[in-house]
Amino acid sequence: MSILNDKRLLLCAAFVEGRVAADIGTDHGYLPAYLITEGICERCIAADINEKPLASAAKTAQEHGLEEKIEIILSDGLKNVSLDGVSDIIIAGMGGELIAQIIDDCPRIKEGSFHLILQPMTRPEALREYLYDNGFTVEAEKCVHEGRFEYSVMSVVYTGSRPEYDNDKRYRHFGRIDLSAPACRAYAEDRLGKLRIAAEGMLKGTDSHDEGERLMETVRTLEEMM
Ligand SMILES: C[S@@+](CC[C@H](N)C(=O)[O-])C[C@H]1O[C@@H](n2cnc3c(N)ncnc32)[C@H](O)[C@@H]1O
């Protein structure tokens, strides 16, 4: 049986391009263990800010005899992680703003040719906006349905230049997904539903009414794209 059954993390794994991956916020450490046992990577870093998930990641590595191949590191983002030899950096299962903060706190990301695999749980638009404004290009984005939720995973590189696409409503809210793919359509519909609920909530408040109208206008623009 495979170490990994979670379709969201399997999609992250499918984006890995090189032989050494750093999984930031690894928690149980299943992703690094999967990448090695499947022969995708020869070495992985499993980093987390908390001791408890790291102990769990160490246990996963031990159970599969991978102690020599998975380096377990206590780290806030990439602060204690040496990126020497690392090809892919995976940051999954966190809020979009936290992922953006972790990237921003690591200037080294802009100095190498790292491949980033990013999977925001919330506020993906904040992450996409950060990436656009800071020289990162989203080269591909795919979606997956897991449990009751829709997720998108981004494949990102630093170019230092403005991306060739626009930082428009479609990019910020739907990302670079292909709306003709069923999983991506489901993701876009889910995003639209969440935005509509947020806009309706704002429209009820006096202080947030104008913001609600702007958000509802965004919802209408996005609906026309569907
Ligand atoms: C919800 S879990 C996601 C685990 C796994 N990456 C996934 O996608 O299933 C989030 C993990 O990120 C860790 N984390 C939160 N903030 C972090 C930070 N600044 N640096 C490193 N790890 C962090 C948490 O301790 C937790 O283990």
Side-chain angles (χ1 to χ4, degrees):
M1 206 177 89
S2 171
I3 293 171
L4 205 55
N5 302 309
D6 182 316
K7 283 192 268 173
R8 177 181 58 87
L9 289 177
L10 284 169
L11 181 55
C12 293
F15 270 119
V16 171
E17 290 177 351
R19 300 287 289 153
V20 182
D23 183 27
I24 309 304
T26 194
D27 199 354
H28 33 64
Y30 294 150
L31 185 52
Y34 173 84
L35 290 170
I36 293 175
T37 52
E38 292 296 312
I40 298 165
C41 289
E42 62 198 23
R43 171 169 86 78
C44 281
I45 290 165
D48 205 286
I49 196 170
N50 291 309
E51 299 269 8
K52 214 169 157 193
L54 266 194
S56 167
K59 190 163 167 258
T60 301
Q62 192 188 20
E63 279 170 2
H64 295 88
L66 302 172
E67 299 99 314
E68 301 290 306
K69 297 194 169 172
I70 299 180
E71 192 182 351
I72 308 281
I73 301 177
L74 184 66
S75 178
D76 175 359
L78 287 142
K79 288 177 188 165
N80 297 336
V81 176
S82 160
L83 288 175
D84 293 348
V86 169
S87 53
D88 298 77
I89 300 169
I90 305 157
I91 315 176
M94 295 181 212
E97 283 153 325
L98 177 56
I99 295 177
Q101 189 62 58
I102 288 174
I103 296 169
D104 204 51
D105 285 345
C106 179
R108 173 90 204 274
I109 285 187
K110 296 185 175 176
E111 289 158 15
S113 52
F114 303 105
H115 176 224
L116 308 184
I117 299 161
L118 310 177
Q119 188 274 303
M121 287 297 198
T122 53
R123 306 252 18 245
E125 68 278 14
L127 175 59
R128 294 189 187 109
E129 192 141 28
Y130 170 82
L131 294 171
Y132 194 94
D133 290 343
N134 288 277
F136 293 90
T137 291
V138 181
E139 291 195 316
E141 186 160 353
K142 289 188 182 169
C143 306
V144 68
H145 172 89
E146 171 75 53
R148 294 184 293 114
F149 302 102
E150 314 295 334
Y151 301 102
S152 97
V153 179
M154 309 173 195
S155 168
V156 176
V157 290
Y158 178 74
T159 66
S161 314
R162 245 172 100 99
E164 284 173 4
Y165 47 83
D166 290 332
N167 179 10
D168 55 15
K169 290 173 181 170
R170 188 193 194 285
Y171 164 71
R172 284 196 298 280
H173 293 286
F174 291 167
R176 306 221 57 220
I177 62 174
D178 170 7
L179 280 171
S180 68
C184 289
R185 209 167 172 80
Y187 172 81
E189 277 164 5
D190 183 63
R191 295 298 317 151
L192 259 183
K194 290 191 168 102
L195 288 176
R196 197 178 299 109
I197 289 169
E200 283 165 358
M202 287 174 190
L203 285 171
K204 283 182 194 146
T206 33
D207 290 352
S208 55
H209 193 271
D210 289 354
E211 203 186 334
E213 286 207 324
R214 281 195 296 278
L215 191 54
M216 201 50 101
E217 183 53 39
T218 298
V219 170
R220 281 193 281 269
T221 308
L222 293 171
E223 270 170 349
E224 282 165 18
M225 290 171 191
M226 296 288 288

mmCIF file of all heavy atoms in Angstrom, residues 162-204:
data_model
loop_
_atom_site.group_PDB
_atom_site.id
_atom_site.type_symbol
_atom_site.label_atom_id
_atom_site.label_comp_id
_atom_site.label_asym_id
_atom_site.label_seq_id
_atom_site.Cartn_x
_atom_site.Cartn_y
_atom_site.Cartn_z
ATOM 1 N N ARG A 162 8.074 40.565 -14.704
ATOM 2 C CA ARG A 162 6.612 40.506 -14.685
ATOM 3 C C ARG A 162 6.153 39.314 -15.480
ATOM 4 O O ARG A 162 6.631 39.085 -16.601
ATOM 5 C CB ARG A 162 6.090 41.742 -15.415
ATOM 6 C CG ARG A 162 5.314 42.712 -14.581
ATOM 7 C CD ARG A 162 5.083 43.929 -15.470
ATOM 8 N NE ARG A 162 3.735 43.867 -16.003
ATOM 9 C CZ ARG A 162 2.733 44.549 -15.481
ATOM 10 N NH1 ARG A 162 2.946 45.309 -14.430
ATOM 11 N NH2 ARG A 162 1.535 44.475 -15.983
ATOM 12 N N PRO A 163 5.221 38.546 -14.962
ATOM 13 C CA PRO A 163 4.712 37.414 -15.737
ATOM 14 C C PRO A 163 4.065 37.879 -17.047
ATOM 15 O O PRO A 163 3.714 39.049 -17.192
ATOM 16 C CB PRO A 163 3.665 36.801 -14.811
ATOM 17 C CG PRO A 163 4.020 37.250 -13.447
ATOM 18 C CD PRO A 163 4.632 38.600 -13.613
ATOM 19 N N GLU A 164 3.910 36.974 -17.983
ATOM 20 C CA GLU A 164 3.325 37.339 -19.282
ATOM 21 C C GLU A 164 1.807 37.489 -19.205
ATOM 22 O O GLU A 164 1.200 38.036 -20.110
ATOM 23 C CB GLU A 164 3.702 36.293 -20.329
ATOM 24 C CG GLU A 164 5.145 36.456 -20.763
ATOM 25 C CD GLU A 164 5.622 35.362 -21.676
ATOM 26 O OE1 GLU A 164 4.800 34.496 -22.042
ATOM 27 O OE2 GLU A 164 6.820 35.370 -22.002
ATOM 28 N N TYR A 165 1.208 37.005 -18.143
ATOM 29 C CA TYR A 165 -0.250 37.149 -17.989
ATOM 30 C C TYR A 165 -0.540 38.357 -17.091
ATOM 31 O O TYR A 165 0.366 38.901 -16.453
ATOM 32 C CB TYR A 165 -0.844 35.861 -17.385
ATOM 33 C CG TYR A 165 -0.081 35.344 -16.179
ATOM 34 C CD1 TYR A 165 -0.311 35.846 -14.905
ATOM 35 C CD2 TYR A 165 0.909 34.372 -16.327
ATOM 36 C CE1 TYR A 165 0.405 35.394 -13.805
ATOM 37 C CE2 TYR A 165 1.628 33.913 -15.232
ATOM 38 C CZ TYR A 165 1.370 34.427 -13.978
ATOM 39 O OH TYR A 165 2.085 33.996 -12.895
ATOM 40 N N ASP A 166 -1.807 38.756 -17.054
ATOM 41 C CA ASP A 166 -2.196 39.929 -16.269
ATOM 42 C C ASP A 166 -2.572 39.554 -14.833
ATOM 43 O O ASP A 166 -3.061 38.454 -14.587
ATOM 44 C CB ASP A 166 -3.428 40.603 -16.902
ATOM 45 C CG ASP A 166 -3.070 41.260 -18.219
ATOM 46 O OD1 ASP A 166 -1.890 41.657 -18.378
ATOM 47 O OD2 ASP A 166 -3.953 41.338 -19.084
ATOM 48 N N ASN A 167 -2.371 40.509 -13.934
ATOM 49 C CA ASN A 167 -2.834 40.341 -12.552
ATOM 50 C C ASN A 167 -4.294 40.820 -12.500
ATOM 51 O O ASN A 167 -4.605 41.839 -11.905
ATOM 52 C CB ASN A 167 -1.938 41.159 -11.617
ATOM 53 C CG ASN A 167 -2.366 41.051 -10.168
ATOM 54 O OD1 ASN A 167 -3.218 40.229 -9.823
ATOM 55 N ND2 ASN A 167 -1.792 41.877 -9.309
ATOM 56 N N ASP A 168 -5.165 40.061 -13.134
ATOM 57 C CA ASP A 168 -6.570 40.466 -13.195
ATOM 58 C C ASP A 168 -7.408 39.594 -12.248
ATOM 59 O O ASP A 168 -6.881 38.729 -11.543
ATOM 60 C CB ASP A 168 -7.094 40.404 -14.640
ATOM 61 C CG ASP A 168 -6.876 39.033 -15.269
ATOM 62 O OD1 ASP A 168 -6.592 38.067 -14.525
ATOM 63 O OD2 ASP A 168 -6.989 38.921 -16.501
ATOM 64 N N LYS A 169 -8.732 39.832 -12.263
ATOM 65 C CA LYS A 169 -9.603 39.110 -11.326
ATOM 66 C C LYS A 169 -9.537 37.602 -11.556
ATOM 67 O O LYS A 169 -9.565 36.809 -10.617
ATOM 68 C CB LYS A 169 -11.047 39.591 -11.493
ATOM 69 C CG LYS A 169 -11.261 40.996 -10.987
ATOM 70 C CD LYS A 169 -12.642 41.512 -11.315
ATOM 71 C CE LYS A 169 -12.793 42.940 -10.814
ATOM 72 N NZ LYS A 169 -14.017 43.579 -11.290
ATOM 73 N N ARG A 170 -9.456 37.234 -12.826
ATOM 74 C CA ARG A 170 -9.417 35.798 -13.131
ATOM 75 C C ARG A 170 -8.162 35.159 -12.528
ATOM 76 O O ARG A 170 -8.233 34.104 -11.908
ATOM 77 C CB ARG A 170 -9.449 35.563 -14.648
ATOM 78 C CG ARG A 170 -9.610 34.090 -15.010
ATOM 79 C CD ARG A 170 -9.320 33.856 -16.484
ATOM 80 N NE ARG A 170 -9.761 32.549 -16.939
ATOM 81 C CZ ARG A 170 -9.160 31.396 -16.685
ATOM 82 N NH1 ARG A 170 -8.069 31.376 -15.921
ATOM 83 N NH2 ARG A 170 -9.619 30.257 -17.138
ATOM 84 N N TYR A 171 -7.018 35.812 -12.746
ATOM 85 C CA TYR A 171 -5.766 35.269 -12.202
ATOM 86 C C TYR A 171 -5.823 35.208 -10.673
ATOM 87 O O TYR A 171 -5.492 34.191 -10.060
ATOM 88 C CB TYR A 171 -4.573 36.125 -12.658
ATOM 89 C CG TYR A 171 -3.326 35.858 -11.842
ATOM 90 C CD1 TYR A 171 -2.628 34.656 -11.972
ATOM 91 C CD2 TYR A 171 -2.877 36.783 -10.892
ATOM 92 C CE1 TYR A 171 -1.509 34.400 -11.184
ATOM 93 C CE2 TYR A 171 -1.771 36.523 -10.104
ATOM 94 C CZ TYR A 171 -1.084 35.328 -10.259
ATOM 95 O OH TYR A 171 0.003 35.062 -9.474
ATOM 96 N N ARG A 172 -6.275 36.312 -10.064
ATOM 97 C CA ARG A 172 -6.232 36.359 -8.595
ATOM 98 C C ARG A 172 -7.167 35.328 -7.948
ATOM 99 O O ARG A 172 -6.810 34.687 -6.969
ATOM 100 C CB ARG A 172 -6.601 37.758 -8.088
ATOM 101 C CG ARG A 172 -5.469 38.748 -8.259
ATOM 102 C CD ARG A 172 -5.691 39.984 -7.418
ATOM 103 N NE ARG A 172 -6.890 40.706 -7.797
ATOM 104 C CZ ARG A 172 -6.992 41.527 -8.832
ATOM 105 N NH1 ARG A 172 -5.929 41.731 -9.589
ATOM 106 N NH2 ARG A 172 -8.109 42.150 -9.098
ATOM 107 N N HIS A 173 -8.342 35.145 -8.522
ATOM 108 C CA HIS A 173 -9.323 34.266 -7.863
ATOM 109 C C HIS A 173 -9.337 32.837 -8.391
ATOM 110 O O HIS A 173 -9.627 31.903 -7.647
ATOM 111 C CB HIS A 173 -10.709 34.886 -7.935
ATOM 112 C CG HIS A 173 -10.795 36.140 -7.127
ATOM 113 N ND1 HIS A 173 -10.838 36.127 -5.746
ATOM 114 C CD2 HIS A 173 -10.778 37.446 -7.492
ATOM 115 C CE1 HIS A 173 -10.868 37.372 -5.298
ATOM 116 N NE2 HIS A 173 -10.825 38.190 -6.330
ATOM 117 N N PHE A 174 -9.052 32.639 -9.663
ATOM 118 C CA PHE A 174 -9.065 31.281 -10.231
ATOM 119 C C PHE A 174 -7.654 30.769 -10.511
ATOM 120 O O PHE A 174 -7.472 29.588 -10.803
ATOM 121 C CB PHE A 174 -9.850 31.254 -11.546
ATOM 122 C CG PHE A 174 -11.338 31.454 -11.398
ATOM 123 C CD1 PHE A 174 -12.118 31.721 -12.510
ATOM 124 C CD2 PHE A 174 -11.962 31.373 -10.159
ATOM 125 C CE1 PHE A 174 -13.494 31.901 -12.393
ATOM 126 C CE2 PHE A 174 -13.336 31.554 -10.032
ATOM 127 C CZ PHE A 174 -14.100 31.822 -11.159
ATOM 128 N N GLY A 175 -6.680 31.663 -10.499
ATOM 129 C CA GLY A 175 -5.323 31.237 -10.802
ATOM 130 C C GLY A 175 -5.189 30.920 -12.273
ATOM 131 O O GLY A 175 -5.955 31.393 -13.110
ATOM 132 N N ARG A 176 -4.253 30.046 -12.596
ATOM 133 C CA ARG A 176 -3.945 29.755 -13.995
ATOM 134 C C ARG A 176 -4.570 28.436 -14.417
ATOM 135 O O ARG A 176 -4.025 27.683 -15.206
ATOM 136 C CB ARG A 176 -2.427 29.747 -14.172
ATOM 137 C CG ARG A 176 -1.834 31.066 -13.665
ATOM 138 C CD ARG A 176 -0.757 31.611 -14.531
ATOM 139 N NE ARG A 176 -1.176 31.820 -15.886
ATOM 140 C CZ ARG A 176 -0.413 31.555 -16.948
ATOM 141 N NH1 ARG A 176 0.788 31.048 -16.780
ATOM 142 N NH2 ARG A 176 -0.848 31.786 -18.161
ATOM 143 N N ILE A 177 -5.722 28.161 -13.843
ATOM 144 C CA ILE A 177 -6.358 26.864 -14.099
ATOM 145 C C ILE A 177 -7.026 26.833 -15.467
ATOM 146 O O ILE A 177 -7.381 27.854 -16.029
ATOM 147 C CB ILE A 177 -7.403 26.520 -13.007
ATOM 148 C CG1 ILE A 177 -8.544 27.554 -12.981
ATOM 149 C CG2 ILE A 177 -6.733 26.435 -11.646
ATOM 150 C CD1 ILE A 177 -9.671 27.201 -12.032
ATOM 151 N N ASP A 178 -7.205 25.607 -15.959
ATOM 152 C CA ASP A 178 -7.898 25.382 -17.225
ATOM 153 C C ASP A 178 -9.362 25.092 -16.871
ATOM 154 O O ASP A 178 -9.674 24.015 -16.352
ATOM 155 C CB ASP A 178 -7.226 24.188 -17.929
ATOM 156 C CG ASP A 178 -8.008 23.728 -19.135
ATOM 157 O OD1 ASP A 178 -8.995 24.396 -19.502
ATOM 158 O OD2 ASP A 178 -7.625 22.695 -19.702
ATOM 159 N N LEU A 179 -10.224 26.054 -17.175
ATOM 160 C CA LEU A 179 -11.629 25.916 -16.758
ATOM 161 C C LEU A 179 -12.371 24.782 -17.470
ATOM 162 O O LEU A 179 -13.478 24.429 -17.075
ATOM 163 C CB LEU A 179 -12.375 27.235 -16.975
ATOM 164 C CG LEU A 179 -12.161 28.283 -15.888
ATOM 165 C CD1 LEU A 179 -12.760 29.621 -16.304
ATOM 166 C CD2 LEU A 179 -12.743 27.840 -14.555
ATOM 167 N N SER A 180 -11.750 24.209 -18.492
ATOM 168 C CA SER A 180 -12.433 23.095 -19.178
ATOM 169 C C SER A 180 -12.154 21.750 -18.466
ATOM 170 O O SER A 180 -12.801 20.754 -18.751
ATOM 171 C CB SER A 180 -12.018 23.027 -20.651
ATOM 172 O OG SER A 180 -10.670 22.660 -20.732
ATOM 173 N N ALA A 181 -11.191 21.748 -17.536
ATOM 174 C CA ALA A 181 -10.915 20.513 -16.775
ATOM 175 C C ALA A 181 -11.940 20.407 -15.634
ATOM 176 O O ALA A 181 -12.103 21.379 -14.875
ATOM 177 C CB ALA A 181 -9.502 20.553 -16.211
ATOM 178 N N PRO A 182 -12.655 19.278 -15.499
ATOM 179 C CA PRO A 182 -13.716 19.174 -14.497
ATOM 180 C C PRO A 182 -13.273 19.551 -13.078
ATOM 181 O O PRO A 182 -13.992 20.281 -12.385
ATOM 182 C CB PRO A 182 -14.143 17.704 -14.584
ATOM 183 C CG PRO A 182 -13.784 17.295 -15.972
ATOM 184 C CD PRO A 182 -12.549 18.068 -16.340
ATOM 185 N N ALA A 183 -12.102 19.108 -12.648
ATOM 186 C CA ALA A 183 -11.662 19.414 -11.272
ATOM 187 C C ALA A 183 -11.426 20.908 -11.112
ATOM 188 O O ALA A 183 -11.680 21.482 -10.050
ATOM 189 C CB ALA A 183 -10.391 18.637 -10.937
ATOM 190 N N CYS A 184 -10.932 21.556 -12.164
ATOM 191 C CA CYS A 184 -10.659 22.991 -12.090
ATOM 192 C C CYS A 184 -11.962 23.782 -12.124
ATOM 193 O O CYS A 184 -12.093 24.813 -11.455
ATOM 194 C CB CYS A 184 -9.736 23.417 -13.229
ATOM 195 S SG CYS A 184 -8.063 22.803 -12.979
ATOM 196 N N ARG A 185 -12.906 23.301 -12.888
ATOM 197 C CA ARG A 185 -14.222 23.951 -12.924
ATOM 198 C C ARG A 185 -14.866 23.879 -11.532
ATOM 199 O O ARG A 185 -15.435 24.848 -11.039
ATOM 200 C CB ARG A 185 -15.096 23.236 -13.955
ATOM 201 C CG ARG A 185 -16.075 24.135 -14.534
ATOM 202 C CD ARG A 185 -16.806 23.681 -15.746
ATOM 203 N NE ARG A 185 -17.839 24.681 -15.986
ATOM 204 C CZ ARG A 185 -17.617 25.840 -16.577
ATOM 205 N NH1 ARG A 185 -16.424 26.155 -17.027
ATOM 206 N NH2 ARG A 185 -18.600 26.716 -16.728
ATOM 207 N N ALA A 186 -14.746 22.713 -10.909
ATOM 208 C CA ALA A 186 -15.309 22.542 -9.558
ATOM 209 C C ALA A 186 -14.608 23.497 -8.586
ATOM 210 O O ALA A 186 -15.243 24.087 -7.708
ATOM 211 C CB ALA A 186 -15.146 21.096 -9.108
ATOM 212 N N TYR A 187 -13.301 23.638 -8.736
ATOM 213 C CA TYR A 187 -12.543 24.563 -7.871
ATOM 214 C C TYR A 187 -13.043 25.992 -8.078
ATOM 215 O O TYR A 187 -13.299 26.722 -7.113
ATOM 216 C CB TYR A 187 -11.044 24.466 -8.204
ATOM 217 C CG TYR A 187 -10.196 25.509 -7.518
ATOM 218 C CD1 TYR A 187 -9.783 25.342 -6.201
ATOM 219 C CD2 TYR A 187 -9.813 26.674 -8.182
ATOM 220 C CE1 TYR A 187 -9.013 26.318 -5.564
ATOM 221 C CE2 TYR A 187 -9.048 27.642 -7.559
ATOM 222 C CZ TYR A 187 -8.641 27.463 -6.250
ATOM 223 O OH TYR A 187 -7.879 28.428 -5.625
ATOM 224 N N ALA A 188 -13.213 26.389 -9.347
ATOM 225 C CA ALA A 188 -13.654 27.762 -9.650
ATOM 226 C C ALA A 188 -15.059 27.995 -9.095
ATOM 227 O O ALA A 188 -15.344 29.060 -8.526
ATOM 228 C CB ALA A 188 -13.615 27.996 -11.155
ATOM 229 N N GLU A 189 -15.929 27.002 -9.235
ATOM 230 C CA GLU A 189 -17.295 27.162 -8.709
ATOM 231 C C GLU A 189 -17.278 27.295 -7.188
ATOM 232 O O GLU A 189 -18.005 28.085 -6.600
ATOM 233 C CB GLU A 189 -18.171 25.978 -9.148
ATOM 234 C CG GLU A 189 -18.710 26.201 -10.556
ATOM 235 C CD GLU A 189 -19.265 24.958 -11.217
ATOM 236 O OE1 GLU A 189 -19.331 23.903 -10.553
ATOM 237 O OE2 GLU A 189 -19.605 25.044 -12.412
ATOM 238 N N ASP A 190 -16.407 26.530 -6.555
ATOM 239 C CA ASP A 190 -16.257 26.593 -5.100
ATOM 240 C C ASP A 190 -15.757 27.988 -4.678
ATOM 241 O O ASP A 190 -16.274 28.584 -3.733
ATOM 242 C CB ASP A 190 -15.270 25.493 -4.676
ATOM 243 C CG ASP A 190 -15.104 25.435 -3.178
ATOM 244 O OD1 ASP A 190 -16.099 25.144 -2.501
ATOM 245 O OD2 ASP A 190 -13.987 25.684 -2.690
ATOM 246 N N ARG A 191 -14.751 28.498 -5.396
ATOM 247 C CA ARG A 191 -14.224 29.832 -5.086
ATOM 248 C C ARG A 191 -15.325 30.877 -5.239
ATOM 249 O O ARG A 191 -15.482 31.755 -4.397
ATOM 250 C CB ARG A 191 -13.050 30.224 -6.017
ATOM 251 C CG ARG A 191 -11.795 29.416 -5.932
ATOM 252 C CD ARG A 191 -11.090 29.437 -4.601
ATOM 253 N NE ARG A 191 -10.998 30.733 -3.983
ATOM 254 C CZ ARG A 191 -10.938 30.933 -2.662
ATOM 255 N NH1 ARG A 191 -10.966 29.921 -1.831
ATOM 256 N NH2 ARG A 191 -10.844 32.140 -2.165
ATOM 257 N N LEU A 192 -16.082 30.759 -6.345
ATOM 258 C CA LEU A 192 -17.163 31.715 -6.601
ATOM 259 C C LEU A 192 -18.183 31.707 -5.467
ATOM 260 O O LEU A 192 -18.619 32.761 -5.003
ATOM 261 C CB LEU A 192 -17.891 31.324 -7.889
ATOM 262 C CG LEU A 192 -17.544 32.105 -9.147
ATOM 263 C CD1 LEU A 192 -18.402 31.633 -10.306
ATOM 264 C CD2 LEU A 192 -17.755 33.599 -8.923
ATOM 265 N N GLY A 193 -18.551 30.504 -5.025
ATOM 266 C CA GLY A 193 -19.518 30.363 -3.933
ATOM 267 C C GLY A 193 -19.019 31.058 -2.677
ATOM 268 O O GLY A 193 -19.760 31.793 -2.010
ATOM 269 N N LYS A 194 -17.731 30.866 -2.373
ATOM 270 C CA LYS A 194 -17.158 31.476 -1.159
ATOM 271 C C LYS A 194 -17.128 33.000 -1.285
ATOM 272 O O LYS A 194 -17.417 33.724 -0.334
ATOM 273 C CB LYS A 194 -15.760 30.925 -0.910
ATOM 274 C CG LYS A 194 -15.808 29.466 -0.471
ATOM 275 C CD LYS A 194 -14.468 28.976 0.034
ATOM 276 C CE LYS A 194 -14.616 27.642 0.738
ATOM 277 N NZ LYS A 194 -14.210 26.501 -0.042
ATOM 278 N N LEU A 195 -16.767 33.475 -2.474
ATOM 279 C CA LEU A 195 -16.709 34.930 -2.679
ATOM 280 C C LEU A 195 -18.108 35.534 -2.578
ATOM 281 O O LEU A 195 -18.287 36.615 -2.012
ATOM 282 C CB LEU A 195 -16.119 35.247 -4.066
ATOM 283 C CG LEU A 195 -14.619 34.996 -4.239
ATOM 284 C CD1 LEU A 195 -14.209 35.269 -5.678
ATOM 285 C CD2 LEU A 195 -13.807 35.871 -3.296
ATOM 286 N N ARG A 196 -19.091 34.815 -3.130
ATOM 287 C CA ARG A 196 -20.463 35.328 -3.097
ATOM 288 C C ARG A 196 -20.959 35.436 -1.644
ATOM 289 O O ARG A 196 -21.536 36.440 -1.246
ATOM 290 C CB ARG A 196 -21.386 34.421 -3.916
ATOM 291 C CG ARG A 196 -22.691 35.113 -4.265
ATOM 292 C CD ARG A 196 -23.617 34.260 -5.107
ATOM 293 N NE ARG A 196 -23.081 33.871 -6.395
ATOM 294 C CZ ARG A 196 -22.686 32.645 -6.739
ATOM 295 N NH1 ARG A 196 -22.768 31.648 -5.881
ATOM 296 N NH2 ARG A 196 -22.231 32.391 -7.938
ATOM 297 N N ILE A 197 -20.681 34.410 -0.855
ATOM 298 C CA ILE A 197 -21.095 34.431 0.564
ATOM 299 C C ILE A 197 -20.423 35.607 1.290
ATOM 300 O O ILE A 197 -21.054 36.337 2.051
ATOM 301 C CB ILE A 197 -20.764 33.086 1.247
ATOM 302 C CG1 ILE A 197 -21.706 32.003 0.709
ATOM 303 C CG2 ILE A 197 -20.861 33.183 2.763
ATOM 304 C CD1 ILE A 197 -21.319 30.590 1.086
ATOM 305 N N ALA A 198 -19.128 35.809 0.997
ATOM 306 C CA ALA A 198 -18.400 36.919 1.644
ATOM 307 C C ALA A 198 -19.005 38.249 1.227
ATOM 308 O O ALA A 198 -19.231 39.141 2.068
ATOM 309 C CB ALA A 198 -16.919 36.863 1.271
ATOM 310 N N ALA A 199 -19.313 38.392 -0.071
ATOM 311 C CA ALA A 199 -19.874 39.654 -0.571
ATOM 312 C C ALA A 199 -21.246 39.906 0.056
ATOM 313 O O ALA A 199 -21.541 41.032 0.492
ATOM 314 C CB ALA A 199 -19.981 39.611 -2.092
ATOM 315 N N GLU A 200 -22.069 38.867 0.142
ATOM 316 C CA GLU A 200 -23.409 39.033 0.726
ATOM 317 C C GLU A 200 -23.307 39.469 2.187
ATOM 318 O O GLU A 200 -24.067 40.315 2.653
ATOM 319 C CB GLU A 200 -24.205 37.725 0.603
ATOM 320 C CG GLU A 200 -24.735 37.521 -0.813
ATOM 321 C CD GLU A 200 -25.214 36.093 -1.091
ATOM 322 O OE1 GLU A 200 -25.109 35.223 -0.185
ATOM 323 O OE2 GLU A 200 -25.655 35.856 -2.214
ATOM 324 N N GLY A 201 -22.339 38.884 2.918
ATOM 325 C CA GLY A 201 -22.118 39.264 4.320
ATOM 326 C C GLY A 201 -21.742 40.738 4.422
ATOM 327 O O GLY A 201 -22.249 41.477 5.266
ATOM 328 N N MET A 202 -20.838 41.167 3.525
ATOM 329 C CA MET A 202 -20.388 42.580 3.562
ATOM 330 C C MET A 202 -21.533 43.527 3.220
ATOM 331 O O MET A 202 -21.632 44.620 3.785
ATOM 332 C CB MET A 202 -19.257 42.773 2.545
ATOM 333 C CG MET A 202 -17.947 42.165 2.958
ATOM 334 S SD MET A 202 -16.786 42.332 1.599
ATOM 335 C CE MET A 202 -15.456 41.305 2.181
ATOM 336 N N LEU A 203 -22.382 43.119 2.282
ATOM 337 C CA LEU A 203 -23.482 43.994 1.864
ATOM 338 C C LEU A 203 -24.468 44.260 3.007
ATOM 339 O O LEU A 203 -25.160 45.274 3.004
ATOM 340 C CB LEU A 203 -24.227 43.380 0.671
ATOM 341 C CG LEU A 203 -23.493 43.478 -0.678
ATOM 342 C CD1 LEU A 203 -24.192 42.654 -1.747
ATOM 343 C CD2 LEU A 203 -23.383 44.931 -1.127
ATOM 344 N N LYS A 204 -24.488 43.350 3.973
ATOM 345 C CA LYS A 204 -25.425 43.525 5.106
ATOM 346 C C LYS A 204 -24.916 44.563 6.105
ATOM 347 O O LYS A 204 -25.681 45.147 6.853
ATOM 348 C CB LYS A 204 -25.622 42.188 5.829
ATOM 349 C CG LYS A 204 -26.553 41.266 5.049
ATOM 350 C CD LYS A 204 -26.773 39.973 5.803
ATOM 351 C CE LYS A 204 -27.411 38.940 4.893
ATOM 352 N NZ LYS A 204 -26.976 37.588 5.169
#
